[in-house]
C-alpha cells in the first residue's frame, strides 16, 4: 500500500511477545488474589453474557433438532450458523471505530456496542422460542442467524473491552475469569435448558414444543445479567480521537496525491485468500473445483513469500484514485487495512506460522462438538442425564481446567500450557470413540466427560491469553476479531460435513478422526515456541 501514516507502535524487537524470556515468578498467593480484583469479577459476569448464546444456536439447538426428528446431515449443515463467529472481522472495524447514535454519547463506545448486541440477542432467542421446527425450520434458522451475528458482535466489543481494561500481565487472569463466566453460561444454556425442557415436559422422551419454548424464553431473560453488568461497568479510557482524525486526514491527502500504491505480492495474497474462501464456499454448496483451491493456495503462498522478501517493492503498482473516492479508501485503510498490516509488520514471517496455529488449534474440539449432542440422543441418554453429566458436571470440570490453565500460564508461561492443552484435547476425543462402542453407560460417560472438559478448560485459558498477547492495543477489537475468526473458520467449515461423515462411517471412526486432526497442532505449537525463543536469545 502507499506509504501512509500509521498508528505508533513499538518495533518488532520491542514488542512484548509471549514467552519472550522467562516469565516472572509469582507466589501462589499473588496468583490467587488476582481473581478477586474488580476487573476480573466484572469479566466473570460479562463472560456469562458472551457464553449464553453459543450453545443455544449450536449444541443445544442440535439436541433440540435431533429430538424433533431432524437428520444428522441437516444438523451438520446448520452448524454453519456458527460461521458468523468466524467472519466477524468483516464488521469488527465498525465496532472498533464507529459510534452508535445516542448510545455511544451516553455509555461510551465499548459499552454502547455491548448493550445493543445484547438486546438483539434477547430478541432473537425469543424468536427461536416461539418457532416450531417440525412445522417450519427456516424461521428458526433465521432467528438463530440473528442471534449468532449479534453474539459475534458482542464478542468483538467484549474482547476489546477486556484487553483495554487491564494491563498485559493481568490478561491471563482476565482470560480465566472470562472463560469461567463463559462456561457457567454454557452450563445454564446446556444443562439449564435441558432441565427446564424436561421439567415442563414432565420427563417426556419425545419432542414437545411447549417445553423447548419455555426453556428458550428463560434463556432470553438471562441476558439481563450482561445488560446490567454492562450498565454498571466503567468504560475503558477513550482513545485519542484527535490523533485518529489527523491520521485519517493525512491518509486522504496521500490517496489524493499518489493514488493506490501497492506491490504485486499483496494483490496475489489477497486474491489467493479470496480464492480459498470461494473454494470453501463452493465445497459447502457441492461445486468446488479442486484445481481452483490449489491455484488459490499457490497464489496466497507466493504473495506471502513475496511480501516477506520485498518482491515488487522497487516497482510498485499504482492506480489513480478519484478525489471523491479518496475519503472512503482512506477510511478503509485506517480502519480495516492498518490493523492487519500492523500485525504483519510486527511479526513478519512469523505471522504465517502464528495464523496457521490459530487456524487449527481448536479443530479437534470444534469438529467433534457439533455431533456430540446428536450422539447423546442416538445413544439413548435422557435429557436429565445429559444435563447433569455432560452439561453441568462436565462444565464444572471445564471451569476447573480454566482456572488451572490460567494459573499455570501465570506461573510457567503460556506456550508450555498451550502445548499441554493441545495434547490433552486431541487425546480426550479417543475416549468418545470408546464410549460409542457400548450402550448408554452413565459411569463411562462421567469418566469421558471429566477428561474431555478438564482438557478443554486448560487449552482454552492458555489460548485466549496467547491471542490477547498478540494484539496491539491501538487495534485491539479488529485484531482480536481477526484471530478468533481465523480460529473458527476452518474448524466450523469442516464441522458442517460431520453429519454426513457419521452417516457414512459411524461415530467411532468420526471420533478417532477428530483426534487425529489434533496432531498437526502439536507441530505448530512447537515451531511457534521455538520461533519466539530465537528473538529472546538474540537480545
Amino acid at each position: 500500500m502507499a506509504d501512509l501514516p500509521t498508528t505508533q507502535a513499538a518495533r518488532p524487537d520491542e514488542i512484548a511477545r509471549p514467552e519472550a524470556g522467562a516469565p516472572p515468578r509469582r507466589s501462589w498467593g499473588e496468583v490467587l488474589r488476582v481473581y478477586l480484583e474488580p476487573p476480573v469479577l466484572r469479566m466473570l459476569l460479562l463472560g456469562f453474557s458472551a457464553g449464553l448464546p453459543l450453545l443455544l444456536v449450536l449444541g443445544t439447538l442440535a439436541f433440540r433438532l435431533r429430538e424433533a426428528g431432524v437428520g444428522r446431515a441437516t444438523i451438520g449443515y446448520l452448524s454453519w450458523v456458527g460461521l458468523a463467529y468466524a467472519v466477524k472481522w468483516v464488521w469488527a472495524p465498525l465496532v472498533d471505530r464507529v459510534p452508535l447514535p445516542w448510545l455511544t454519547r451516553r455509555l461510551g463506545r465499548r459499552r454502547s456496542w455491548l448493550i445493543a448486541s445484547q438486546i438483539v440477542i434477547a430478541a432473537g432467542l425469543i424468536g427461536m422460542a416461539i418457532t416450531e421446527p417440525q412445522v417450519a425450520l427456516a424461521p428458526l434458522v433465521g432467528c438463530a442467524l440473528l442471534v449468532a451475528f449479534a453474539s459475534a458482535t458482542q464478542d468483538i466489543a467484549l474482547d476489546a473491552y477486556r484487553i483495554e481494561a487491564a494491563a498485559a500481565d493481568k490478561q491471563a487472569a482476565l482470560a480465566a475469569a472470562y472463560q469461567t463466566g463463559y462456561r457457567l453460561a454454557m452450563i445454564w444454556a446446556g444443562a439449564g435448558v435441558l432441565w427446564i425442557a424436561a421439567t415442563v415436559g414432565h420427563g417426556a422422551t419425545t419432542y414437545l414444543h411447549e417445553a423447548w419454548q419455555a426453556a428458550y424464553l428463560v434463556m432470553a431473560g438471562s441476558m439481563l445479567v450482561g445488560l446490567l453488568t454492562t450498565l454498571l461497568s466503567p468504560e475503558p479510557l477513550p482513545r485519542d480521537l484527535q490523533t485518529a482524525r489527523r491520521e485519517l486526514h493525512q491518509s486522504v491527502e496521500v490517496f489524493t496525491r499518489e493514488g493506490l500504491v501497492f506491490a504485486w505480492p499483496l494483490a496475489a495474497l489477497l486474491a489467493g485468500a479470496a480464492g480459498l474462501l470461494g473454494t470453501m464456499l463452493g465445497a459447502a454448496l457441492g461445486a468446488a473445483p479442486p484445481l481452483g483451491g490449489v491455484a488459490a493456495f499457490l497464489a496466497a503462498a507466493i504473495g506471502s513469500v513475496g511480501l516477506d522478501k520485498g518482491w515488487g517493492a522497487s516497482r510498485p503498482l499504482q492506480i489513480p484514485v478519484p478525489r471523491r473516492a479518496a475519503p472512503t479508501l482512506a477510511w478503509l485503510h485506517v480502519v480495516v487495512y492498518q490493523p492487519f498490516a500492523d500485525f504483519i509488520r510486527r511479526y513478519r514471517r512469523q505471522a504465517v506460522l502464528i495464523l496457521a496455529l490459530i487456524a487449527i488449534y481448536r479443530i479437534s474440539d470444534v469438529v467433534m462438538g457439533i455431533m456430540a449432542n446428536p450422539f447423546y440422543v442416538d445413544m439413548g441418554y435422557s435429557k436429565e442425564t445429559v444435563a447433569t453429566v455432560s452439561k453441568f458436571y462436565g462444565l464444572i470440570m471445564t471451569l476447573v481446567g480454566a482456572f488451572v490453565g490460567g494459573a499455570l500460564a501465570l506461573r510457567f508461561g503460556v506456550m508450555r500450557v498451550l502445548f499441554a492443552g493441545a495434547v490433552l484435547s486431541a487425546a480426550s476425543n479417543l475416549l468418545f470413540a470408546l464410549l460409542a462402542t457400548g450402550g448408554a453407560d452413565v459411569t463411562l460417560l462421567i469418566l469421558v466427560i471429566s477428561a474431555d472438559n478438564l482438557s478443554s478448560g486448560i487449552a482454552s485459558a492458555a489460548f485466549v491469553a496467547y491471542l490477547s498477547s498478540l494484539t496491539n492495543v491501538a487495534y485491539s477489537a479488529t485484531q482480536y476479531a481477526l484471530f478468533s475468526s481465523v480460529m473458527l473458520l476452518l474448524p466450523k467449515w469442516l464441522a458442517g460435513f460431520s453429519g454426513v461423515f457419521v452417516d457414512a462411517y459411524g461415530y467411532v471412526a468420526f471420533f478417532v478422526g477428530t483426534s487425529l486432526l489434533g496432531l498437526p497442532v502439536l507441530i505448530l505449537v512447537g515451531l511457534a515456541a521455538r520461533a519466539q525463543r530465537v528473538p529472546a536469545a538474540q537480545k
Side-chain angles (χ1 to χ4, degrees):
M1 296 291 287
D3 187 14
L4 298 176
T6 60
T7 299
Q8 288 294 321
R11 299 192 310 272
D13 60 341
E14 295 175 338
I15 296 297
R17 298 170 186 252
E19 294 294 295
R25 290 283 181 175
R26 300 170 182 261
S27 70
W28 286 110
E30 291 174 329
V31 168
L32 295 177
R33 280 195 295 273
V34 170
Y35 290 106
L36 299 179
E37 296 181 1
V40 178
L41 297 177
R42 283 195 294 268
M43 196 52 56
L44 176 70
L45 297 176
L46 291 173
F48 180 90
S49 179
L52 189 69
L54 183 65
L55 282 181
L56 299 175
V57 298
L58 292 174
T60 299
L61 180 60
F63 193 106
R64 177 184 179 182
L65 294 178
R66 186 59 179 160
E67 191 176 74
V70 178
R72 284 187 294 257
T74 300
I75 293 173
Y77 293 137
L78 289 179
S79 71
W80 282 332
V81 167
L83 285 174
Y85 296 93
V87 298
K88 60 186 179 184
W89 56 269
V90 174
W91 66 93
L94 300 177
V95 179
D96 208 9
R97 296 291 183 101
V98 176
L100 291 175
W102 192 81
L103 278 177
T104 299
R105 290 197 305 272
R106 288 159 177 79
L107 299 175
R109 184 160 300 167
R110 301 308 181 201
R111 292 198 302 155
S112 62
W113 278 99
L114 284 172
I115 288 291
S117 58
Q118 288 160 356
I119 291 173
V120 175
I121 290 169
L125 291 176
I126 292 173
M128 293 181 70
I130 63 178
T131 304
E132 167 60 270
Q134 290 182 327
V135 176
L137 188 58
L140 180 63
V141 175
C143 290
L145 277 171
L146 180 65
V147 172
F149 276 101
S151 176
T153 302
Q154 178 184 221
D155 288 349
I156 295 168
L158 185 53
D159 289 334
Y161 184 93
R162 175 174 53 80
I163 293 169
E164 296 171 0
D169 63 342
K170 301 291 180 65
Q171 286 300 321
L174 262 65
Y178 174 88
Q179 286 293 318
T180 301
Y182 201 96
R183 299 297 179 173
L184 285 172
M186 293 180 74
I187 290 177
W188 186 230
V193 164
L194 295 179
W195 280 330
I196 294 170
T199 300
V200 175
H202 304 290
T205 56
T206 57
Y207 182 79
L208 184 63
H209 174 62
E210 290 76 12
W212 285 101
Q213 182 181 70
Y216 267 75
L217 287 175
V218 171
M219 296 301 110
S222 299
M223 285 302 299
L224 286 172
V225 172
L227 283 166
L228 293 176
T229 303
T230 303
L231 288 172
L232 296 175
S233 297
E235 176 76 5
L237 291 176
R239 292 183 182 153
D240 185 357
L241 296 180
Q242 188 63 36
T243 300
R245 294 189 187 99
R246 183 166 60 250
E247 180 183 351
L248 181 61
H249 179 70
Q250 292 172 347
S251 297
V252 171
E253 291 181 347
V254 172
F255 273 114
T256 303
R257 182 176 65 252
E258 301 180 9
L260 189 62
V261 182
F262 58 93
W264 67 261
L266 178 61
L269 175 61
L270 295 177
L276 288 173
L277 291 175
T279 300
M280 294 173 67
L281 178 60
L285 298 175
L291 292 180
V294 173
F297 176 79
L298 290 176
I302 292 172
S304 299
V305 174
L307 286 175
D308 184 61
K309 300 294 185 181
W311 295 344
S314 60
R315 300 183 63 182
L317 304 175
Q318 186 171 12
I319 301 176
V321 174
R323 180 174 294 274
R324 290 184 177 180
T328 301
L329 285 176
W331 184 84
L332 290 173
H333 180 273
V334 172
V335 175
V336 180
Y337 174 76
Q338 282 290 0
F340 303 130
D342 169 79
F343 173 74
I344 300 298
R345 281 194 298 266
R346 286 189 291 126
Y347 290 97
R348 297 183 64 81
R349 68 181 60 187
Q350 291 184 30
V352 176
L353 173 62
I354 292 171
L355 290 175
L357 172 59
I358 294 171
I360 67 171
Y361 185 76
R362 301 311 308 274
I363 194 167
S364 292
D365 287 345
V366 173
V367 175
M368 187 277 288
I370 297 301
M371 282 294 112
N373 282 290
F375 170 70
Y376 299 142
V377 175
D378 291 340
M379 290 292 291
Y381 291 108
S382 66
K383 285 195 285 289
E384 294 88 344
T385 298
V386 174
T388 303
V389 178
S390 175
K391 309 303 180 182
F392 182 72
Y393 168 75
L395 286 175
I396 288 177
M397 294 301 296
T398 305
L399 299 182
V400 174
F403 273 109
V404 170
L408 291 178
L410 284 170
R411 179 81 173 176
F412 301 111
V414 172
M415 296 307 293
R416 293 183 179 92
V417 184
L418 204 65
F419 186 88
V423 172
L424 294 172
S425 295
S428 63
N429 284 7
L430 295 175
L431 298 178
F432 278 93
L434 175 63
L435 185 64
T437 60
D441 188 334
V442 176
T443 302
L444 184 56
L445 177 65
I446 293 173
L447 294 176
V448 171
I449 292 299
S450 299
D452 181 65
N453 286 267
L454 183 66
S455 303
S456 178
I458 293 173
S460 295
F463 193 50
V464 171
Y466 177 68
L467 295 185
S468 300
S469 70
L470 297 174
T471 63
N472 180 345
V473 70
Y475 306 114
S476 54
T478 302
Q479 287 186 343
Y480 197 93
L482 166 66
F483 300 147
S484 55
S485 297
V486 170
M487 174 188 72
L488 291 173
L489 183 59
L490 179 60
K492 288 290 186 185
W493 173 78
L494 189 60
F497 302 101
S498 58
V500 176
F501 187 96
V502 171
D503 285 343
Y505 302 103
Y507 281 114
V508 173
F510 172 71
F511 291 130
V512 172
T514 58
S515 179
L516 295 176
L517 288 174
L519 294 180
V521 177
L522 304 180
I523 299 173
L524 291 180
V525 173
L527 292 174
R530 182 177 180 274
Q532 290 172 357
R533 285 195 298 268
V534 171
Q538 292 174 347
K539 290 184 178 179

